[in-house]
Amino acid sequence: METLSANAVEKLKSYLGGEIEVSASQTIIKKSREMKIWRDRQCFTCIIEHDISFEKMNADGTALNRAEIFLLPEEYPCFIFSLKDFRIPLPTDYRQWQHVNPHIISVCMESVEAPEDFAARLAAAFGALEE
Protein backbone atom coordinates (compact mmCIF):
# COMPACT_ATOMS: atom_id res chain seq x y z
CA MET A 1 0.00 0.00 0.00
CA GLU A 2 1.10 3.52 -0.78
CA THR A 3 0.41 6.83 0.93
CA LEU A 4 -1.17 9.83 -0.74
CA SER A 5 1.29 12.00 -2.63
CA ALA A 6 1.92 15.56 -1.51
CA ASN A 7 0.21 16.73 -4.71
CA ALA A 8 -2.91 14.66 -3.90
CA VAL A 9 -3.00 16.01 -0.34
CA GLU A 10 -2.85 19.59 -1.70
CA LYS A 11 -5.75 18.84 -4.06
CA LEU A 12 -7.81 17.45 -1.16
CA LYS A 13 -7.08 20.59 0.85
CA SER A 14 -8.04 22.85 -2.06
CA TYR A 15 -11.34 21.00 -2.51
CA LEU A 16 -12.37 20.66 1.12
CA GLY A 17 -10.30 23.06 3.17
CA GLY A 18 -10.12 22.14 6.81
CA GLU A 19 -7.31 20.76 8.90
CA ILE A 20 -5.30 17.88 7.40
CA GLU A 21 -3.48 15.17 9.34
CA VAL A 22 -1.24 12.85 7.32
CA SER A 23 0.16 9.61 8.71
CA ALA A 24 1.72 6.55 7.10
CA SER A 25 -1.61 4.73 6.95
CA GLN A 26 -4.22 7.46 6.33
CA THR A 27 -5.00 11.08 5.61
CA ILE A 28 -7.69 12.75 7.71
CA ILE A 29 -9.46 16.03 6.98
CA LYS A 30 -11.36 17.73 9.77
CA LYS A 31 -13.77 20.17 8.17
CA SER A 32 -15.79 22.43 10.45
CA ARG A 33 -19.10 24.09 9.67
CA GLU A 34 -21.34 26.36 11.70
CA MET A 35 -24.92 25.16 12.02
CA LYS A 36 -27.98 26.83 13.49
CA ILE A 37 -30.33 24.28 14.99
CA TRP A 38 -33.83 25.41 15.87
CA ARG A 39 -35.77 23.74 18.64
CA ASP A 40 -39.18 25.24 19.24
CA ARG A 41 -38.38 28.97 19.23
CA GLN A 42 -34.80 28.68 20.42
CA CYS A 43 -31.81 28.74 18.10
CA PHE A 44 -28.62 26.91 19.01
CA THR A 45 -25.50 27.76 17.06
CA CYS A 46 -22.82 25.12 17.07
CA ILE A 47 -19.66 24.24 15.19
CA ILE A 48 -19.87 20.75 13.72
CA GLU A 49 -16.74 18.88 12.70
CA HIS A 50 -17.03 16.50 9.78
CA ASP A 51 -14.58 13.59 9.63
CA ILE A 52 -13.27 12.70 6.19
CA SER A 53 -10.54 10.09 5.72
CA PHE A 54 -8.56 8.40 2.97
CA GLU A 55 -6.68 5.18 3.63
CA LYS A 56 -5.44 1.95 2.06
CA MET A 57 -4.09 3.69 -1.03
CA ASN A 58 -3.75 1.24 -3.91
CA ALA A 59 -1.23 1.26 -6.74
CA ASP A 60 -4.03 2.13 -9.21
CA GLY A 61 -4.68 5.46 -7.42
CA THR A 62 -7.82 4.37 -5.58
CA ALA A 63 -8.25 4.40 -1.82
CA LEU A 64 -10.85 3.64 0.83
CA ASN A 65 -12.58 7.00 1.31
CA ARG A 66 -14.86 7.65 4.29
CA ALA A 67 -16.87 10.61 5.52
CA GLU A 68 -19.36 11.41 8.23
CA ILE A 69 -21.23 14.60 7.40
CA PHE A 70 -23.78 16.30 9.66
CA LEU A 71 -26.72 18.06 8.04
CA LEU A 72 -29.88 19.81 9.04
CA PRO A 73 -32.98 17.91 7.85
CA GLU A 74 -33.77 20.64 5.32
CA GLU A 75 -30.22 20.41 3.86
CA TYR A 76 -30.32 16.65 3.32
CA PRO A 77 -32.19 16.53 -0.06
CA CYS A 78 -29.94 19.14 -1.68
CA PHE A 79 -26.75 17.51 -0.38
CA ILE A 80 -27.75 14.02 -1.55
CA PHE A 81 -28.91 15.26 -4.95
CA SER A 82 -25.57 17.04 -5.45
CA LEU A 83 -23.65 13.86 -4.60
CA LYS A 84 -25.64 11.82 -7.11
CA ASP A 85 -25.67 14.51 -9.80
CA PHE A 86 -21.92 15.17 -9.73
CA ARG A 87 -20.09 15.07 -13.08
CA ILE A 88 -18.17 11.97 -11.95
CA PRO A 89 -20.67 9.18 -11.24
CA LEU A 90 -20.69 7.40 -7.90
CA PRO A 91 -18.38 4.39 -8.06
CA THR A 92 -19.75 0.87 -8.02
CA ASP A 93 -18.02 0.32 -4.69
CA TYR A 94 -20.03 2.95 -2.77
CA ARG A 95 -22.00 2.61 0.44
CA GLN A 96 -24.07 5.21 2.27
CA TRP A 97 -26.22 5.20 5.38
CA GLN A 98 -27.60 7.77 7.77
CA HIS A 99 -28.57 8.24 11.38
CA VAL A 100 -31.53 10.55 11.84
CA ASN A 101 -32.84 12.50 14.79
CA PRO A 102 -35.34 15.37 14.71
CA HIS A 103 -32.70 18.11 14.46
CA ILE A 104 -29.65 16.66 12.68
CA ILE A 105 -28.83 13.92 10.18
CA SER A 106 -25.50 12.12 10.14
CA VAL A 107 -24.70 10.92 6.61
CA CYS A 108 -21.97 8.28 6.49
CA MET A 109 -20.39 7.20 3.24
CA GLU A 110 -17.61 4.95 2.03
CA SER A 111 -16.21 4.44 -1.43
CA VAL A 112 -13.25 2.96 -3.21
CA GLU A 113 -12.16 5.48 -5.84
CA ALA A 114 -9.56 8.17 -6.39
CA PRO A 115 -9.47 10.39 -3.28
CA GLU A 116 -9.56 13.49 -5.47
CA ASP A 117 -12.88 12.36 -7.02
CA PHE A 118 -14.40 11.68 -3.59
CA ALA A 119 -13.22 15.07 -2.29
CA ALA A 120 -14.43 16.95 -5.39
CA ARG A 121 -17.88 15.31 -5.07
CA LEU A 122 -18.09 16.27 -1.38
CA ALA A 123 -16.94 19.83 -2.13
CA ALA A 124 -19.68 20.18 -4.77
CA ALA A 125 -22.30 18.93 -2.29
CA PHE A 126 -21.09 21.39 0.36
CA GLY A 127 -21.15 24.14 -2.29
CA ALA A 128 -24.77 23.33 -3.11
CA LEU A 129 -25.66 23.93 0.54
CA GLU A 130 -24.19 27.43 0.36
CA GLU A 131 -26.24 28.43 -2.70
Side-chain angles (χ1 to χ4, degrees), residues 3-51:
T3 58
L4 290 176
S5 69
N7 185 35
V9 170
E10 284 305 311
K11 277 187 179 179
L12 298 180
K13 185 165 179 66
S14 73
Y15 287 139
L16 296 170
E19 196 177 304
I20 296 184
E21 298 172 12
V22 179
S23 71
S25 61
Q26 74 179 165
T27 300
I28 297 172
I29 296 178
K30 300 225 180 250
K31 181 175 177 61
S32 298
R33 189 165 77 99
E34 182 179 294
M35 296 177 76
K36 295 181 189 275
I37 300 171
W38 288 88
R39 183 169 184 219
D40 299 321
R41 294 179 185 199
Q42 292 182 322
C43 179
F44 300 93
T45 301
C46 55
I47 303 296
I48 300 291
E49 194 168 272
H50 307 291
D51 289 324

Side-chain angles (χ1 to χ4, degrees), residues 47-58:
I47 303 296
I48 300 291
E49 194 168 272
H50 307 291
D51 289 324
I52 305 163
S53 66
F54 310 89
E55 59 188 75
K56 300 180 181 173
M57 189 71 182
N58 298 311

